[in-house]
Amino acid sequence: MNRQALHAALMEASIPGGYYRIEGVHEPVPTPPDFLFVRRAADGGWETGAHERGRDEVLAHHPDEAAACAHLLRLLV
């Protein structure tokens, strides 16, 4: 699964767009105060996490986009 497929799956599951941010694919405006995210990590891997109270907390590091997307999908569905 890539980020576009993740976004399609979340839309199909009727998950509100303000609950998540998918780097480069779904970045809600205005930015919600709290949401889950998937993004590229500085080391070239991928991260999933939560943005709460103005701070990002990385929940997991992943070796590739597919693993990160699958994790975010499990968190939201």
Side-chain angles (χ1 to χ4, degrees):
M1 172 180 290
N2 63 22
R3 289 170 290 153
Q4 291 79 12
L6 170 62
H7 187 231
L10 293 171
M11 288 177 44
E12 185 174 315
S14 298
I15 305 300
Y19 288 11
Y20 59 91
R21 181 179 184 274
I22 302 170
E23 182 181 77
V25 174
H26 176 76
E27 299 179 10
V29 175
T31 302
D34 303 314
F35 56 90
L36 296 177
F37 62 81
V38 63
R39 66 185 182 197
R40 287 187 179 99
D43 66 5
W46 290 82
E47 301 172 331
T48 50
H51 178 87
E52 296 178 295
R53 300 179 186 183
R55 297 181 59 170
D56 288 346
E57 178 182 347
V58 174
L59 301 174
H61 294 274
H62 307 278
D64 55 42
E65 180 179 0
C69 289
H71 184 231
L72 188 64
L73 183 62
R74 286 191 309 273
L75 291 173
L76 287 164
V77 176

